[in-house]
Amino acid sequence: MGSVACGTCGLRDRLEFPVPAHAAPGDRPLSVRSPSGGVLLEVPRASAAGLNGAALKELVTASIGLEAGTKLAFQTDGRTLREDEQLAPLWHGGRAPEVRIILELPWYADLPVLYPDFVKEVSLTDLAIPVAPLEQPRFRLDVHCAGRPTFSALRRKDGDVLISLHRTGGSGMPLVTVTAQCELQSEDGDMVGTIADYVDGSYVLQRGGHQMLLLAPDSEARQMSMLSMSEGRAVEHAVVSHRLKGQLPVEHYQVVVEPSVDSVLVLACFLGLVVCRLAKKPGGTCWTRAEQP
């Protein structure tokens, strides 16, 4: 592992890892990306090709300041990079390879279901959430599906967000509460999970040391992906995109949920992330807001 230690020193000082400005595709560096897609490191082929997956983990852990022992895995070409897998073949076909930090083990095998009646087995679910109310310290908003209000979200004085079925002229059946501490609680008060910081601007829904859902905002693409791992592969469960108009005639977030995934869980994670995490960071809640003229 001596080469790893040397490589780590080089990554801490980028001058030791020069990247030719006009490198041919086959000589381009290995890009190590965060869960949200940002480039964390670029390791020249000469330094990376002799490593395997385990050595790359050690290199990345030391280089980006993660705690020793942090459990990482890397995704490449839609699969998980094995620890004993050599990196050299990643340059096949003259390509410029990349890997993405995708998870911290272990993961739950299945996602929790908060409202079974709204889990669609074969079709996508398309939700729309207005942007403007989310910028207020207290709000009540309707979440639309297929052009009709379907869920309601109420942010109370204590900072908790209550998500319920929409009911005209009154309160509908409560489904889940997102506390000001980013905890998801079922209507019975059971703990579903907690939204915590992860790597490079991404977040994770976790419980008892196990991960359930990775929340990866991408400000450049104006969207956020929700992913988990299953049998060594990343599985996308939902995508949140910023829209000026669409299902709603006002600025809103479009949430597209994959079949067999609970839309209420996705909605709770998104609202929890926006009001409990992003609101406390520079730039406020709306990381995808378009620049105003």
Side-chain angles (χ1 to χ4, degrees):
M1 299 297 287
S3 60
V4 173
C6 181
T8 299
C9 295
L11 281 172
R12 286 174 176 166
D13 182 355
R14 291 298 187 93
L15 295 178
E16 294 187 30
F17 270 1
V19 178
H22 303 289
D27 293 325
R28 288 177 183 168
L30 172 69
S31 295
V32 180
R33 295 182 177 271
S34 71
S36 56
V39 176
L40 296 175
L41 299 171
E42 288 191 330
V43 188
R45 180 175 183 176
S47 301
L51 304 179
N52 61 15
L56 180 64
K57 288 182 184 181
E58 185 174 333
L59 181 65
V60 170
T61 297
S63 301
I64 65 176
L66 297 176
E67 294 183 4
T70 299
K71 295 180 179 180
L72 299 176
F74 300 99
Q75 191 82 4
T76 182
D77 293 333
R79 61 179 180 81
T80 301
L81 187 71
R82 301 190 314 274
E83 290 202 352
D84 62 351
E85 184 174 348
Q86 296 297 312
L87 303 188
L90 297 181
W91 277 266
H92 67 273
R95 59 176 297 185
E98 66 177 42
V99 296
R100 180 173 296 203
I101 297 174
I102 199 64
L103 78 161
E104 180 178 347
L105 297 172
W107 284 75
Y108 279 102
D110 300 303
L111 294 178
V113 176
L114 302 178
Y115 186 47
D117 292 349
F118 211 77
V119 176
K120 298 183 180 180
E121 296 298 332
V122 296
S123 60
L124 299 171
T125 302
D126 194 339
L127 305 177
I129 307 168
V131 168
L134 296 176
E135 299 179 319
Q136 305 302 318
R138 297 178 65 183
F139 61 75
R140 180 189 295 271
L141 61 82
D142 291 333
V143 179
H144 286 67
C145 180
R148 297 182 298 178
T150 304
F151 303 108
S152 296
L154 170 67
R155 191 178 192 190
R156 302 184 301 217
K157 186 176 181 179
D158 59 7
D160 291 357
V161 177
L162 174 64
I163 299 173
S164 59
L165 287 177
H166 178 269
R167 181 181 178 185
T168 303
S171 299
M173 182 179 73
L175 300 173
V176 60
T177 297
V178 185
T179 72
Q181 291 73 41
C182 288
E183 297 176 347
L184 274 62
Q185 297 178 353
S186 70
E187 59 174 315
D188 298 324
D190 295 332
M191 172 66 72
V192 177
T194 302
I195 300 173
D197 291 334
Y198 189 55
V199 179
D200 189 45
S202 61
Y203 305 84
V204 67
L205 177 67
Q206 61 184 12
R207 184 179 66 196
H210 286 62
Q211 321 307 315
M212 287 183 276
L213 201 58
L214 175 68
L215 316 176
D218 185 340
S219 58
E220 292 185 5
R222 297 182 181 275
Q223 68 179 28
M224 177 177 69
S225 297
M226 297 191 186
L227 313 163
S228 70
M229 293 297 295
S230 177
E231 298 180 353
R233 291 183 176 272
V235 179
E236 187 172 77
H237 298 294
V239 176
V240 183
S241 304
H242 176 264
R243 297 284 184 261
L244 295 180
K245 290 184 179 180
Q247 188 177 151
L248 294 180
V250 296
E251 186 180 14
H252 64 280
Y253 293 114
Q254 179 187 31
V255 184
V256 179
V257 184
E258 292 292 322
S260 301
V261 177
D262 183 9
S263 298
V264 174
L265 174 68
V266 171
L267 176 61
C269 287
F270 176 70
L271 291 179
L273 178 63
V274 169
V275 302
C276 299
R277 287 290 180 188
L278 296 179
K280 300 176 183 178
K281 295 180 178 292
T285 58
C286 300
W287 83 94
T288 57
R289 175 176 289 284
E291 293 184 4
Q292 300 298 320

